[in-house]
Every structure is written in C-alpha cells, then in structure tokens.
Amino acid sequence: MEANTVSDATTPEIDRDWEDVDDISWTLLELAELVDAYWAVVAPAMETDGLDPKREKPTHSWLRDHGFRPLLYALREYHDRTLAEFWREDLELDAVESGYDWATNHERTIEALESFLTSRRERKGLADSSIDTLRYRLNRYVVAYCEENDTDDLVTPVARDGDIPAYKAVDACWAAFDRLHADLDGGQTKRRIHLAVSNWYAHLVRRKWAAVNPADGLDDEFDWSNGNDDDTDTPCLATEHVRALYKAADDQEDRLLVLALCAWGLRPNEVASLRARQFVLDVSTDEIPYITFEERKNGPGEVSLLYGKEVLEDRLAMFADSEDWDGYLFPSPHASGGSISRWTVWNRFTQLAEQASLPDEIGGVSPSPKMGRRFWYDAYSSSLDVVLGSLDEIAAEQGSASADVVLQNYLSDSRARKLRREYMRDQLAVAFEED
C-alpha cells in the first residue's frame, strides 16, 4: 500500500485539510473532527510504518512516539473517551486483537500481568468478577505508568537480570502513583489500586521475574486514609434540595438526570454515558431491575434501580422508533453523535441548582453532581439504622445482646436487603414528592 494514502471506498471523506500533526489543535476539536484528523494524519503515519489503520489499533506508545500524545489527552480530558472507545464507537472499527485490551502492547508486560491473574484465579480461587475487578485496577496503573514514563515496558525496570538501578524502578512506579493520586478523587480507590499493583509486583518477585517490588511501602508516602472519597467527604444534598432540583427539572431529560444522580447514586461520567443496553428491566416479581457497568471506578458492577423506572421507560420509548439512535440516554447534540460529556452533566446540574434556588454553598462547598451521589449513600446507609431499630423488639424477646446479632445470625441476607430497599424507596418517594 502506498504511504500516506488511505483511499478505498470505505474511508470517510476528510472535512478539513490538515497536512501534518503540527497543524492540529487537538483540544479544540469536536469528536467528528478528531475522526477526520485520524484519517487525515494518523492513518497515513500508520501506513508509513506498515500498519493497517482500519484493523490495527495504534498503541499508546506508538501514538506518543509519533507526536500524537495530544490526541490521547483530548480524548481523555475533553471527551471522556479512552482510545479503545474512540476506536470502537467513533471510528467504528474492529481491531485485530485478542483478549483484554491492556493499555500496553509490550508482550512481556502483558504476560506478567496475565500470569498474576491466572495465579489468583487458579491458586486463590477468585471468581471471574473478582478477576475482572483486579484486571481493571491493574490497567489503571498501566495507563498511568505508560503516560508518565513514556514506555509500555513495565517489567524490564524491575527485572532480576537487568542493569537498571532499583531506585529508578521505584521512581517510575512512584511517578505513576503521583499521577493516579492527582487524577483520582477517592482515597479508597487509590488504596485498592495500590494493593493490586503491590501484589502483582510481589508475585513477580516470588516468580523470580523481578528483583524488587517498587510499590512496597508506597502507601506510607500518601495520606489516602482521608482522601476525597466521594462517599464520605463530599457534603450531602438534603431531601428538600433534591425535591427542589426535581421540581426545577421541566423536561424529561433533566428529570432523568436528577434521578440518575440522586435516586441511582451514579457518578457524573456514568450518567453522561448511560446506554439503553445497560438496563435490565425485565426481571421476576421478586427481583429488582438494575444497571450494569462493564467498567466503573472500582471495576465492573451493578446498581439496583430502586426508583424512577417509569421516567426511564418514558425516555426509552421516546427513542424507540428512531432509526439513527445509538442507545445513549443523553445523546450529544453535536452531529458527531455519541453521548454528552461529564462536564455537560456538571453544567446542567449547576443550571438546575440555580433554577431551584439552592444555597450558594452546602457544607461550605458549591452544589455539585457528586452531592447527589452522597445523598443516595446517606439515605441508603440510614436504612440500615431503621432496620436495626425495628429488630430491637425481636432481640429483646429472644434474649439477644443487640439487634446486630439478630441481623447477622437470624435474618437472611435477602430479607435484610429487602427491608433496606423498602425503606430506601420510602426515602426517595419523600425526596421526589410521590404519594
């Protein structure tokens, strides 16, 4: 194939005339323009290197080496996109690759990562869901390491037979965690990623692949015990605040946004990217509808849909007959399609807060979407107190030391969960003024 030419019938037309990477202000481009830039500049550079831009997803290291780091930055910071999501959803391409989409293309590093996961599965007996969560946390570290150190190779710096001083391996690892510490909000999240990474390096040391565990003792360097966990330190919206927000929401989309934040407890980026396929609504009478997440901040998971199902179904029905709908509950107004960004969620929440005449500060902080998630946590945790209170009489009749004993030893998990959910629904009904 001739270099600098992408010319078959399936190649999109280029809307802008960029000649090279230096002509592009990546952070100013909409998603559709980033797609154009990929075909105009990235694709020819890949062909020059003997790569197929339609079938081989470029690695982070290749992009950095060829001056395309700003593309990765623009996707992450301005469009809430990973490279894999951009490749799959915006370029609409299928990469020739197998297995998990690790953020590194270095074969020895991937082998070391998979060796650790295989050991955890076969020797520790971890379930597939736990392995998925562990893989997700390790990949968050890999992303930070590659971006901070400009290399996809995480094993050579710690290799037993290598000539790299141990302090340099430690410096590289710590630099990655400095980046994670700056990028992530929750101290608990950072601790969990550190534990996964430290255990991985320890596995390599035991296997004699590595001479040093550069993450050992790193948690003593950071104060993650009192980090900005969005479920502990963020001030909480009061019931009257949620009620005012919902009243101020004068269309279906804004009502759904308030429900997603306050009734479902989702993060702003999760709200922005919600898709119809994530909702499991067709469940038996005794089950609760739920939302599935392939990747969350702490790994894959599910969120129970305790409230707001009717508004959700109305939203889905509105799009049901649309042939060009891509499944996003909050579609982007731009021609490029996709979903709105997490910053749009923040902006819309701020506008609703102003319309609802919320205080300028709540707990000393300006109102933000994270306070809706904190409201959800506060309401759900208080449900446990109510359940325990209702068991006091049973505990007295049975001569148990406390309601805790009854809850833990005599009340089934499913029954306790049902009681908490019933109280949670009552709390949400009050907040959203449902009789």
Side-chain angles (χ1 to χ4, degrees):
M1 184 179 293
E2 184 181 351
N4 295 323
T5 302
V6 182
S7 58
D8 70 33
T10 61
T11 301
E13 294 183 4
I14 307 304
D15 294 336
R16 306 258 315 251
D17 184 22
W18 290 301
E19 295 183 359
D20 57 51
V21 65
D22 294 331
D23 293 336
I24 304 175
S25 299
W26 298 93
T27 58
L28 300 180
L29 302 183
E30 298 291 341
L31 275 171
E33 294 174 309
L34 288 175
V35 170
D36 287 347
Y38 174 87
W39 294 116
V41 180
V42 180
M46 291 179 66
E47 289 188 337
T48 299
D49 278 8
L51 301 173
D52 185 344
K54 295 178 183 175
R55 293 179 56 80
E56 297 179 77
K57 178 165 65 65
T59 65
H60 285 68
S61 61
W62 185 91
L63 290 169
R64 287 193 298 269
D65 291 345
H66 290 74
F68 297 116
R69 177 194 288 269
L71 168 62
L72 297 173
Y73 178 82
L75 288 171
R76 183 180 68 250
E77 298 298 329
Y78 288 83
H79 300 285
D80 199 22
R81 283 280 203 280
T82 64
L83 176 62
E85 290 169 340
F86 176 69
W87 174 272
R88 181 176 60 253
E89 298 177 15
D90 302 300
L91 295 175
E92 298 182 350
L93 298 173
D94 294 319
V96 179
E97 55 189 359
S98 60
Y100 182 72
D101 184 24
W102 290 104
T104 172
N105 203 41
H106 186 256
E107 293 183 3
R108 184 63 169 167
T109 298
I110 294 176
E111 182 184 1
L113 291 162
E114 293 292 351
S115 169
F116 172 65
L117 295 175
T118 299
S119 177
R120 280 297 195 261
R121 180 186 295 109
E122 297 179 354
R123 298 188 176 96
K124 291 281 190 180
L126 293 188
D128 287 343
S129 59
S130 298
I131 293 296
D132 289 343
T133 300
L134 193 56
R135 182 185 288 112
Y136 175 80
R137 291 171 182 164
L138 288 171
N139 204 36
R140 289 299 296 264
Y141 170 71
V142 173
V143 170
Y145 189 101
C146 293
E147 293 183 350
E148 192 66 27
N149 296 292
D150 287 328
T151 178
D152 283 357
D153 181 358
L154 278 69
V155 294
T156 297
V158 297
R160 286 172 58 85
D161 56 355
D163 56 1
I164 298 177
Y167 77 87
K168 288 190 176 182
V170 172
D171 286 347
C173 173
W174 287 27
F177 273 99
D178 283 334
R179 189 183 190 97
L180 287 169
H181 183 64
D183 288 348
L184 300 178
D185 290 332
Q188 185 179 61
T189 299
K190 298 168 190 176
R191 289 195 301 271
R192 288 172 174 170
I193 292 176
H194 172 258
L195 179 62
V197 171
S198 184
N199 286 339
W200 173 57
Y201 279 122
H203 168 80
L204 298 185
V205 171
R206 290 191 296 271
R207 288 288 306 274
K208 310 304 181 186
W209 286 17
V212 63
N213 179 349
D216 188 25
L218 182 59
D219 50 339
D220 291 331
E221 296 291 322
F222 292 98
D223 182 13
W224 289 335
S225 60
N226 298 310
N228 296 323
D229 289 10
D230 54 8
D231 59 347
T232 55
D233 290 347
T234 301
C236 177
L237 290 178
T239 298
E240 58 267 25
H241 297 148
V242 176
R243 184 181 302 122
L245 284 169
Y246 200 61
K247 282 185 175 181
D250 56 7
D251 61 32
Q252 183 192 73
E253 187 168 3
D254 282 346
R255 286 193 294 274
L256 189 64
L257 186 143
V258 177
L259 283 166
L261 291 169
C262 303
W264 306 342
L266 303 185
R267 300 178 178 90
N269 64 308
E270 294 171 341
V271 174
S273 59
L274 279 174
R275 305 191 81 165
R277 68 189 182 196
Q278 293 178 251
F279 292 87
V280 181
L281 304 179
D282 187 15
V283 296
S284 65
T285 304
D286 296 333
E287 295 180 326
I288 301 295
Y290 58 92
I291 315 168
T292 62
F293 292 90
E294 294 180 2
E295 288 189 356
R296 297 196 82 196
K297 192 171 182 179
N298 296 319
E302 297 176 356
V303 173
S304 296
L305 191 64
L306 297 176
Y307 194 87
K309 182 181 176 183
E310 294 79 8
V311 177
L312 168 65
E313 289 175 334
D314 289 344
R315 184 70 171 168
L316 295 174
M318 188 187 78
F319 290 113
D321 297 328
S322 177
E323 295 182 358
D324 58 352
W325 182 45
D326 55 9
Y328 287 108
L329 266 65
F330 299 97
S332 170
H334 302 296
S336 58
S339 68
I340 63 175
S341 71
R342 60 174 180 248
W343 304 118
T344 301
V345 174
W346 276 76
N347 290 336
R348 291 185 182 177
F349 180 90
T350 301
Q351 292 170 5
L352 284 171
E354 293 177 355
Q355 295 169 21
S357 298
L358 262 57
D360 291 338
E361 290 188 352
I362 298 174
V365 180
S366 298
S368 71
K370 295 171 67 175
M371 292 182 181
R373 177 171 167 81
R374 184 66 180 87
F375 165 81
W376 186 95
Y377 267 106
D378 188 69
Y380 199 76
S381 62
S382 68
S383 68
L384 180 58
D385 295 334
V386 172
V387 172
L388 290 174
S390 68
L391 296 178
D392 282 337
E393 185 175 344
I394 299 176
E397 291 290 341
Q398 294 294 323
S400 299
S402 69
D404 267 319
V405 175
V406 176
L407 180 64
Q408 294 172 13
N409 298 331
Y410 300 106
L411 193 64
S412 68
D413 289 342
S414 60
R415 176 59 178 160
R417 191 182 307 113
K418 182 178 180 181
L419 291 173
R420 290 197 300 271
R421 285 172 172 171
E422 288 175 354
Y423 176 77
M424 182 64 175
R425 285 196 187 94
D426 290 342
Q427 290 285 90
L428 293 173
V430 172
F432 291 90
E433 283 199 333
E434 177 182 310
D435 294 333

